[in-house]
Amino acid sequence: MNKLLITAALGFMLSPLLPAQNASSSADLQEQIKQLERDRQDAFVRNDIAALEQSTADDYTTINSSCKIADKVQMMSNLRAGKTKVLSVKLDEMKARVYGNTAVLTGRYQDTSVKDGVQKDAHALFMRIFVRDNGHWRAVAYQQTSISLE
């Protein structure tokens, strides 16, 4: 098991033992986590490989709405090869919870993307986990569940 996932698990287990942050700093930190996600999605739209490389942990895992699992190497390879191009993203109903050096972000996700030359619109609920490592927040996991707009 890798170091960042162990850190995330320990953060969850030890969070009740950590001193409570004051409401102001807690709200600021929650907004910072939401902004991290907005910045990540903007990087996808701009195809900013360097920003995504830096903000993604080496042991990153993602589960997309088609139930396919990928790691950082696969994700970055697809982006570099142009297999996936995100044209636009809209994030709603984001809720951030911070437990020490671990943050869990949930929300609604809507995008228009092109994958292998086919354009599609996606609507999903998502969960992303960030871990603070050496003072920097990095994405360690992401999961999407497709939703119907009916």
Side-chain angles (χ1 to χ4, degrees):
M1 196 173 240
N2 63 55
K3 180 180 171 185
L4 287 176
L5 286 179
I6 291 171
T7 302
L10 286 173
F12 282 124
M13 291 185 300
L14 296 176
S15 64
L17 304 175
L18 299 173
Q21 296 178 332
N22 68 43
S24 176
S25 66
S26 178
D28 290 345
L29 191 50
Q30 290 169 8
E31 188 53 42
Q32 179 185 357
I33 297 302
K34 292 176 189 178
Q35 188 60 48
L36 286 171
E37 185 63 24
R38 288 188 285 269
D39 292 346
R40 278 186 68 79
Q41 296 306 327
D42 287 345
F44 277 107
V45 172
R46 292 188 325 270
N47 199 35
D48 189 341
I49 305 293
L52 291 166
E53 184 81 41
Q54 182 180 16
S55 66
T56 305
D58 289 339
D59 58 351
Y60 179 78
T61 301
T62 183
I63 303 171
N64 70 20
S65 59
S66 301
C67 299
K68 293 183 180 170
I69 298 174
D71 61 16
K72 180 180 180 178
V73 172
Q74 292 164 315
M75 178 183 79
M76 300 308 291
S77 176
N78 285 343
L79 291 170
R80 284 187 182 97
K83 288 184 178 184
T84 303
K85 173 66 178 143
V86 180
L87 303 177
S88 66
V89 174
K90 180 180 177 186
L91 299 169
D92 287 312
E93 301 175 25
M94 287 196 294
K95 181 178 180 181
R97 296 174 312 277
V98 180
Y99 308 94
N101 288 323
T102 304
V104 178
L105 180 69
T106 57
R108 289 174 64 98
Y109 173 91
Q110 179 180 341
D111 83 357
T112 300
S113 64
V114 177
K115 184 167 182 169
D116 296 324
V118 178
Q119 184 171 322
K120 69 174 190 160
D121 293 325
H123 302 273
L125 300 177
F126 75 90
M127 178 172 38
R128 182 167 322 269
I129 300 173
F130 292 96
V131 170
R132 186 171 27 206
D133 184 38
N134 293 323
H136 300 284
W137 288 101
R138 290 193 174 76
V140 296
Y142 183 74
Q143 190 273 326
Q144 272 188 353
T145 302
S146 289
I147 56 174
S148 172
L149 296 180
E150 297 176 21

